[in-house]
Amino acid sequence: MRSATTSVALIALMLIGLSPAQAQIEWIGANSDDALDGTNWDGGVLPGVSDSVVFRNGGDSNPLADFGAADVDWAHMLMNHADVGTTLTGAGTITLNTPGAGVDIGVKSFETQGGERLSVIHPNIIANGVMEARNGHNVVFEGDVTSYTLHSYNNSVFTFNGNYTQTAYDGSEFFTGNHEGSSIVFNGGLNLDRPAFYGDLGIRNGLTVAFGPDVVLTKTGPFETTPGLGTVNLYNQSTVRLDGDNALDANTDLFSRDGGGVGENTLDLNGFSTTVEFIATVPDAGPTSFVVDFGEQAGANTFRWLASHWMPGNYKIANFEVGVDTLELGELGSFFWTAEDTTTEGGGSPDIEVKKSQITINGLSYAAYDPLKTDAYWTLVDPTVSRAIEVFNAPLFGDFNDDGEVNAADYTVFRDNLDGSSAALNGNGSGAATVGPADYQLWTQNYGRTSGSSVAIPEPGAMLLALTGVAWCRRSRRRTYV
């Protein structure tokens, strides 16, 4: 008969993800930061292939551990810090062979816990199970990393400055979040290792996946012959964010799906420019939409959307600076987005190309060019000459006195009506019920623009404001306007 003490011990092992055969060995570093010295580990012995290694860094634990050029093999790794994060240095490889991993997506080889901390790992890592960040404990990986897949929860961030390879391909190929601000950042390379024909990448549950300016996207395997990630499915309010120009390539295609949750997902250009082959919406259990967000940063950037397959859903272009940003639909010489476009692309299903009427730009719907039309709309005036969209009759944001120019006089209107009704802004404000900070931001972003202007103009400087006599300040706990 098993004793009560034994049962309690087994339960404790299960709660931290260990099998009964795994021992937990903690890094102490009492004598030095030499991780190859057994006296620096709890119990005085080096951890082995069947052990779970813990970097707790609480109390007297050393926040540094150096592995030199050595390779080490463990079963599991937990970074659970009470004070600050840990830095692991070395040029070797940490291999994590966790029993049951690679088959069950619930089996974790690497975990972080312990609150808002930052740890840095320089050695390479090869893990046969899931790598998971929790509770705001962020990790930067400087070496190359391979794992089954990645989870990031509770405002945690994984950052990969080397190359990362995902090996999951059997329906478990998801990067997963939990709608709490978590993200995964790739600054080196992202490779999907696919030994079988199937295995698209999935991003789900509110996770943000960011691609840096130098990222290289690849998909390898016997059935993969082109660069890029192929199909990337976004589920349930997830985001792909660009951290540099051209971080996506034309061989990476984005699909917005609901996955049983909310079917609105986002490509956040974040103020950068890129080209995609196509983006699409795919309804699973409910309606879907795709948001392409140009970013809140002022300044010109370009999004070239070469083609797309029509599926029930909407496409919302947000934060598009009219006369500054550029949205191009297709390439000259191609019939995509034109009246001649009657093909049935889509890999075997009878799709037709996406209809322009499904696209809104800053909330404006498509309409064929009509010089007599007075309400705001966008169109492709002549798609055989230019694939850039044009916006007509849109508000000149910041032109609060509605004279066709954003200048110091509009600031006076803003100042005199601050906290009052936004009706005083003549429809050229943020749309809020009362005049406030968002309207001021629109004025600064558009200062110097006139109706029909097509270039970005610098924001007003303090000298200009002084010269125009608008040196007025409103001081409050929230904002100062100058």
Side-chain angles (χ1 to χ4, degrees):
M1 180 176 178
R2 180 179 293 148
S3 69
T5 301
T6 302
S7 298
V8 170
L10 287 171
I11 293 172
L13 288 170
M14 292 171 63
L15 287 175
I16 60 174
L18 305 180
S19 69
Q22 289 176 255
Q24 188 178 72
I25 298 182
E26 185 173 332
W27 165 254
I28 303 298
N31 301 317
S32 68
D33 59 6
D34 183 1
L36 304 180
D37 181 352
T39 63
N40 282 320
W41 293 86
D42 184 29
V45 295
L46 293 173
V49 295
S50 61
D51 297 324
S52 175
V53 174
V54 179
F55 293 91
R56 194 176 306 279
N57 195 21
D60 297 328
S61 296
N62 192 337
L64 302 175
D66 179 38
F67 293 85
D71 298 330
V72 295
D73 293 86
W74 304 327
H76 176 266
M77 184 172 170
L78 172 64
M79 307 190 84
N80 184 16
H81 305 317
D83 299 319
V84 297
T86 292
T87 296
L88 308 185
T89 59
T93 298
I94 298 173
T95 299
L96 304 172
N97 282 312
T98 308
V103 178
D104 182 353
I105 197 168
V107 177
K108 296 179 282 289
S109 294
F110 176 97
E111 301 176 71
T112 70
Q113 297 177 12
E116 297 181 2
R117 308 284 182 264
L118 173 64
S119 293
V120 181
I121 300 177
H122 290 266
N124 302 321
I125 291 183
I126 299 176
N128 68 332
V130 175
M131 298 179 68
E132 182 175 286
R134 285 186 177 272
N135 302 327
H137 188 154
N138 306 329
V139 183
V140 175
F141 299 91
E142 298 292 350
D144 294 339
V145 178
T146 297
S147 77
Y148 191 64
T149 193
L150 302 169
H151 298 168
S152 184
Y153 303 138
N154 313 112
N155 292 298
S156 300
V157 181
F158 272 153
T159 301
F160 296 89
N161 290 332
N163 297 315
Y164 172 79
T165 298
Q166 182 200 58
T167 59
Y169 67 93
D170 56 356
S172 302
E173 55 279 355
F174 292 96
F175 294 150
T176 304
N178 66 343
H179 299 283
E180 293 192 17
S182 295
S183 60
I184 302 172
V185 180
F186 297 101
N187 291 320
L190 169 58
N191 177 53
L192 309 179
D193 184 13
R194 300 293 189 256
F197 179 75
Y198 52 87
D200 298 330
L201 175 63
I203 302 169
R204 64 184 178 184
N205 298 345
L207 182 68
T208 294
V209 172
F211 298 127
D214 300 318
V215 70
V216 177
L217 307 176
T218 55
K219 192 174 182 180
T220 58
F223 301 97
E224 305 298 337
T225 58
T226 61
L229 301 179
T231 298
V232 177
N233 293 303
L234 284 74
Y235 298 86
N236 197 9
Q237 298 179 299
S238 294
T239 298
V240 167
R241 187 187 75 221
L242 306 188
D243 286 345
D245 288 331
N246 302 311
L248 285 178
D249 57 37
N251 295 299
T252 299
D253 305 324
L254 305 179
F255 288 78
S256 177
R257 312 181 68 142
D258 60 84
V262 177
E264 181 164 285
N265 300 283
T266 301
L267 170 59
D268 183 2
L269 299 180
N270 194 27
F272 295 101
S273 300
T274 199
T275 298
V276 297
E277 180 183 20
F278 65 83
I279 58 177
T281 56
V282 183
D284 295 311
T288 57
S289 58
F290 211 130
V291 177
V292 178
D293 189 346
F294 271 71
E296 296 181 356
Q297 304 86 337
N301 56 310
T302 298
F303 179 59
R304 298 183 66 240
W305 179 0
L306 299 185
S308 190
H309 303 294
W310 180 86
M311 298 179 188
N314 298 303
Y315 301 83
K316 304 175 183 179
I317 310 299
N319 287 314
F320 180 83
E321 292 185 80
V322 178
V324 179
D325 291 330
T326 300
L327 170 61
E328 295 183 8
L329 303 180
E331 298 178 287
L332 286 177
S334 166
F335 55 77
F336 287 122
W337 306 103
T338 69
E340 292 77 26
D341 181 6
T342 57
T343 60
T344 56
E345 300 287 339
S349 59
D351 303 323
I352 62 175
E353 299 306 315
V354 70
K355 298 177 180 178
K356 294 187 284 292
S357 61
Q358 291 176 262
I359 302 171
T360 58
I361 298 174
N362 294 347
L364 302 181
S365 299
Y366 169 81
Y369 175 68
D370 180 355
L372 300 179
K373 190 174 176 62
T374 58
D375 55 323
Y377 69 100
W378 72 269
T379 192
L380 282 172
V381 176
D382 188 350
T384 63
V385 175
S386 172
R387 295 304 176 88
I389 64 96
E390 297 190 46
V391 176
F392 292 86
N393 306 325
L396 179 57
F397 293 111
D399 181 18
F400 301 141
N401 64 1
D402 205 25
D403 66 352
E405 182 178 358
V406 182
N407 53 25
D410 300 299
Y411 179 85
T412 302
V413 176
F414 164 80
R415 178 196 64 191
D416 293 346
N417 292 278
L418 187 61
D419 296 329
S421 171
S422 62
L425 304 184
N426 291 297
N428 294 327
S430 66
T434 57
V435 179
D439 302 302
Y440 176 81
Q441 184 178 17
L442 284 174
W443 177 75
T444 60
Q445 289 176 344
N446 292 282
Y447 189 90
R449 284 190 57 209
T450 60
S451 296
S453 63
S454 60
V455 294
I457 298 175
E459 296 180 5
M463 180 62 69
L464 175 60
L465 292 179
L467 290 174
T468 55
V470 196
W472 173 87
C473 299
R474 175 185 175 93
R475 297 189 180 275
S476 71
R477 290 176 297 175
R478 299 183 61 184
R479 183 75 185 253
T480 299
Y481 301 104
V482 221

